[in-house]
Amino acid sequence: IKGIAHTALADIHSIVITEQLAKKIFGNENPMNKIILADNADNFTVTGVLKDLPYNTQFKFEYLLPWDFLKASGEEHAAWDYNYVNTYAELQTAANIIAVNSKISDVIKRNSNEKAKSQIFLYPLTKEHLYGRFENGKPAGGNIDTVRMMSILAIVILLIACINFMNLSTARSIRRAKEVGIRKVIGAVKRSLVFQFITESVLLAFISGIIALIIVQLLLPVFSSLAHVHLVIGWQSVSFWLMAMGFILFTGILAGSYPAFYLSSFKPVKVLKGVLKNGNALVTPRKVLVVLQFVFSVFLINLTIVVQKQINHEQKREIGFVKDNLIFHPLTDDLSKNFDLVKNDLINTGAAIAVCKSNTPVTRSAGSVTGLKWKGQDITSNESFEQMTTSGDFIKTNGLQLVAGRDIDIANFPTDTASCLINETALKVTGFKNPVGELIDGSTIVGVVKDFLIGNTAQATRPVIIKGGNWGNFINIRLSSNYSSVQNLKKAESILKKYNPGFITEYQFADDDYAAKFRSAKQAASLIKSFTLVAIFISCLGLFALASYMAENRIKEIGIRKVLGASVAGISSLMAKEFIKLVIVAIIIASPLAWMFMKFFLQHFEYRTSISIWILISAGAAVLLIAVFTISSQSIKAAIANPARSLRME
């Protein structure tokens, strides 16, 4: 909005701020060329103002600093095999991405002395959000997997609804048969009848679509809250309305096509004589459709169970650190300068029992590094290590379990700035029999810790190296259990404000970090459950309506059977068994398909649960019970009806 984009960050002490931050700091004044003191250490001149970032961007920031400032501060890691930042490149319009990637793929190898095997490539930013997951350098999905799954579930629900429409339309054929016969006798052709019935279906779909859009608008805040995304409907977009109307038209044609051709195929002579097609054949389109919709329902229940089982499996995983009473705080320049005083005050007041600096909280990944060297290393090895740094007391502060050796302790062992800790997985990778005293990447191993969870809970444990050092980005604080959390936090806040004046205290909690790891998985599970419940409800709604209609058509038969001595139980079972058979067939068909999909689904998780036959049995039993309950209500109602009412007109 203000400033010149190409030169705004030319000086290492320039800063570009967003509209929101400009308003927050300077109010209505012009912020250009004003001075901002950052971290009580460096003065920056405002050289540009950015329009506030939209809600649907992955970039979340309020200001930009030149990268050269990081270099001048000595905080840039210049090694070519460090993966701690993202690099963005804008190509010329005519550039060929394949040609560019072929030229830069070996840039790490060309610029390092080691025989690096890592290759790099550029990837379109437009694909990063939906297709941002990679395996062995190849795109392997990402958020698009969730979008596809939800789209498939939505299509399944729509198909179930369309199947219900087809079934009920054809079941009611006897009521429209004479209409079709008379219209054909007076000259109506099949084409006009098909057009009429499809038009009726499209009109019904259109009315449903308008009501659905209203419901979606009303429920959008609830859904956005459930999915933790900000969603809006593009009411003013022409393309939205074209797609919406096209989708409604497609649904109407899909739902109405089979009933239209079925009803228009009646022979006038047979219809007017009262002779229709035999509905008691072993296999009929209606039975196939009923089976198909319950195949979907059984499949979805199995999917819901296995997703929840996988989440439970991850939640029960041993995390390797103690998340309770563990908090983090960003390490500002003032806190870094006074770290020893801050640490002593936190411990002496009883607020904390251990404090340390680190480049990242124990719950988060700070990035990986390759090309580490150690004695006896396989020359083909190019293992990637998660890398952390600490000022000491890392094990005690984070509640890690020591397997061998000791913790890093720079205060008592100054040479520990060149020492490190490794985890059990790193020990397996290096193959050391007695790791304490061995060198890895030039650092002496002083201890081995039990594996602890850093990144994704569904990933296998990665090798970790924790190096000693006096720099960091966070203070890690293990609060004392002698006082309440509220008391500890109040004490800690007063100490941090004492040495960090003018800054807001920004506590971050380890248990919140850990819970956040499951947030997206739980959101997906909640959505799948919701879709499954809707699918089962629509299936049962169709079954209920079909059973009601069949009971109505057989009301005289039921009356005669009751007069001849049939029991309520006998009539109820007679009414229900035909539908129960179809549901059992659906379970038999869906179960092996669900089993294969569950195995395929779990292959996406390195740390995964197991599946057993009980999942299939539980899902099948649930669908069967729901179907029996749905049908029995109508069967019993028909069976207990007074036969005099149904037979008196005879």
Side-chain angles (χ1 to χ4, degrees):
I1 295 174
K2 297 179 184 293
I4 302 171
H6 294 294
T7 59
L9 294 173
D11 187 271
I12 66 169
H13 286 98
S14 56
I15 184 172
V16 174
I17 60 178
T18 61
E19 283 179 293
Q20 184 179 12
L21 186 60
K23 186 89 173 172
K24 193 185 298 182
I25 298 176
F26 301 108
N28 294 323
E29 294 181 33
N30 182 2
M32 292 296 289
N33 299 315
K34 294 283 179 67
I35 303 298
I36 293 177
L37 176 64
D39 214 9
N40 282 350
D42 296 284
N43 288 314
F44 293 92
T45 303
V46 178
T47 54
V49 180
L50 286 171
K51 187 174 179 63
D52 285 336
L53 302 177
Y55 67 88
N56 59 336
T57 175
Q58 70 189 63
F59 299 105
K60 309 292 182 186
F61 61 84
E62 290 187 297
Y63 65 89
L64 294 172
L65 297 178
W67 185 266
D68 284 342
F69 173 74
L70 200 69
K71 293 171 69 174
S73 304
E75 293 186 27
E76 181 192 49
H77 297 288
W80 281 87
D81 54 4
Y82 267 55
N83 303 326
Y84 75 111
V85 294
N86 293 323
T87 301
Y88 297 91
E90 183 179 11
L91 301 183
Q92 299 287 351
T93 306
N96 184 312
I97 186 67
I98 298 175
V100 173
N101 280 337
S102 67
K103 291 181 179 180
I104 66 172
S105 64
D106 63 343
V107 69
I108 296 176
K109 184 177 181 179
R110 282 190 276 117
N111 287 277
S112 62
N113 296 324
E114 307 296 341
K115 295 180 179 179
K117 293 186 176 181
S118 296
Q119 295 183 331
I120 68 166
F121 58 95
L122 296 178
Y123 193 66
L125 184 60
T126 52
K127 292 185 177 181
E128 187 172 1
H129 178 67
L130 290 178
Y131 305 89
R133 181 164 56 85
F134 295 86
E135 291 178 4
N136 299 319
K138 303 290 183 183
N143 289 328
I144 190 64
D145 296 336
T146 302
V147 175
R148 285 169 177 162
M149 180 175 289
M150 297 306 157
S151 301
I152 291 170
L153 292 177
I155 291 169
V156 166
I157 289 174
L158 182 67
L159 283 175
I160 291 173
C162 290
I163 287 170
N164 282 344
F165 181 83
M166 295 176 192
N167 278 337
L168 293 173
S169 297
T170 54
R172 292 177 63 249
S173 59
I174 191 170
R175 294 197 172 181
R176 304 200 67 175
K178 289 184 180 178
E179 175 198 341
V180 172
I182 292 170
R183 286 170 65 92
K184 280 194 170 183
V185 166
I186 61 175
V189 296
K190 184 175 182 179
R191 183 173 63 253
S192 66
L193 292 171
V194 169
F195 180 77
Q196 175 199 338
F197 293 132
I198 288 182
T199 302
E200 291 175 4
S201 173
V202 170
L203 182 60
L204 188 63
F206 179 78
I207 295 170
S208 302
I210 298 301
I211 295 171
L213 287 172
I214 295 171
I215 294 172
V216 166
Q217 180 61 45
L218 293 174
L219 294 181
L220 203 58
V222 178
F223 184 83
S224 295
S225 176
L226 178 65
H228 286 270
V229 291
H230 180 73
L231 297 176
V232 292
I233 297 178
W235 297 114
Q236 298 177 340
S237 169
V238 175
S239 60
F240 165 76
W241 283 109
L242 288 174
M243 286 191 292
M245 292 301 107
F247 188 71
I248 289 170
L249 179 64
F250 171 77
T251 303
I253 294 172
L254 176 67
S257 56
Y258 172 63
F261 286 102
Y262 177 78
L263 292 170
S264 63
S265 65
F266 289 160
K267 303 294 182 184
V269 176
K270 290 185 177 181
V271 167
L272 297 177
K273 282 184 177 181
V275 181
L276 289 175
K277 294 180 180 178
N278 179 18
N280 295 319
L282 181 63
V283 179
T284 63
R286 192 182 309 144
K287 290 179 180 178
V288 171
L289 291 173
V290 170
V291 169
L292 184 60
Q293 68 177 177
F294 276 94
V295 165
F296 288 142
S297 297
V298 174
F299 188 88
L300 288 177
I301 291 178
N302 278 289
L303 176 61
T304 302
I305 293 173
V306 77
V307 168
Q308 191 59 54
K309 195 169 184 287
Q310 174 63 26
I311 292 174
N312 293 341
H313 182 65
E314 292 176 31
Q315 286 182 314
K316 292 177 182 177
R317 182 176 184 176
E318 188 176 352
I319 62 174
F321 61 89
V322 180
K323 63 181 187 296
D324 299 327
N325 289 326
L326 178 60
I327 64 171
F328 319 114
H329 189 280
L331 191 66
T332 63
D333 193 56
D334 283 345
L335 289 176
S336 183
K337 290 175 184 175
N338 298 292
F339 174 73
D340 290 334
L341 296 173
V342 172
K343 179 178 179 179
N344 290 335
D345 282 4
L346 285 168
I347 293 174
N348 291 336
T349 57
I353 58 173
V355 181
C356 75
K357 281 192 289 189
S358 68
N359 63 329
T360 180
V362 71
T363 53
R364 306 174 200 170
S365 171
S368 59
V369 59
T370 56
L372 302 187
K373 300 298 178 185
W374 59 88
K375 187 174 67 176
Q377 181 180 11
D378 186 343
I379 59 172
T380 62
S381 172
N382 193 39
E383 191 70 48
S384 173
F385 283 70
E386 291 284 339
Q387 180 162 284
M388 295 178 160
T389 61
T390 180
S391 61
D393 285 341
F394 191 82
I395 294 174
K396 184 178 180 180
T397 305
N398 292 295
L400 303 182
Q401 297 180 45
L402 189 65
V403 175
R406 60 171 175 84
D407 198 352
I408 289 174
D409 184 357
I410 296 175
N412 293 315
F413 301 95
T415 56
D416 272 5
T417 52
S419 298
C420 68
L421 301 170
I422 60 173
N423 68 343
E424 290 175 309
T425 300
L427 180 61
K428 291 176 185 175
V429 169
T430 57
F432 292 137
K433 299 297 182 183
N434 298 299
V436 177
E438 296 285 357
L439 292 177
I440 179 170
D441 196 37
S443 297
T444 304
I445 299 173
V446 295
V448 179
V449 296
K450 195 174 180 63
D451 284 338
F452 58 96
L453 185 61
I454 299 177
N456 193 317
T457 55
Q459 290 179 333
T461 304
R462 302 281 300 280
V464 178
I465 181 170
I466 305 163
K467 291 188 173 184
N470 271 317
W471 64 276
N473 299 317
F474 288 88
I475 295 180
N476 308 287
I477 305 170
R478 167 68 57 188
L479 297 176
S480 170
S481 58
N482 295 330
Y483 303 97
S484 69
S485 296
V486 175
Q487 289 175 306
N488 286 330
L489 291 174
K490 282 184 177 178
K491 290 179 182 178
E493 184 174 8
S494 65
I495 293 167
L496 292 172
K497 282 187 174 180
K498 175 183 173 183
Y499 295 102
N500 200 38
F503 285 84
I504 297 171
T505 303
E506 300 177 278
Y507 291 131
Q508 298 167 29
F509 297 84
D511 48 5
D512 286 345
D513 261 18
Y514 181 71
K517 295 176 184 292
F518 299 97
R519 189 169 294 139
S520 59
K522 286 185 173 180
Q523 289 165 9
S526 297
L527 291 173
I528 292 170
K529 285 178 188 175
S530 302
F531 277 67
T532 301
L533 290 173
V534 171
I536 293 170
F537 175 74
I538 296 175
S539 297
C540 292
L541 202 64
L543 196 61
F544 180 85
L546 206 54
S548 303
Y549 193 78
M550 292 304 174
E552 182 184 340
N553 285 344
R554 298 177 69 176
I555 192 70
K556 287 186 173 61
E557 174 195 341
I558 293 169
I560 293 170
R561 286 179 179 275
K562 287 196 74 174
V563 169
L564 295 176
S567 66
V568 172
I571 293 174
S572 298
S573 62
L574 178 70
M575 293 284 295
K577 68 179 182 181
E578 180 181 348
F579 293 109
I580 298 301
K581 286 178 183 177
L582 297 179
V583 175
I584 291 172
V585 170
I587 293 170
I588 293 171
I589 294 172
S591 294
L593 296 175
W595 181 268
M596 288 188 290
F597 181 81
M598 287 190 292
K599 291 191 72 173
F600 169 76
F601 172 76
L602 291 175
Q603 292 303 312
H604 290 79
F605 303 93
E606 294 176 348
Y607 183 81
R608 53 181 174 264
T609 187
S610 58
I611 54 175
S612 67
I613 196 71
W614 289 107
I615 296 177
L616 300 178
I617 294 172
S618 300
V623 169
L624 192 59
L625 286 173
I626 293 169
V628 168
F629 179 78
T630 303
I631 299 163
S632 61
S633 60
Q634 284 305 303
S635 302
I636 294 171
K637 181 180 176 182
I640 62 176
N642 187 350
R645 289 189 175 184
S646 59
L647 298 177
R648 62 185 174 183
M649 294 306 293
E650 295 296 326

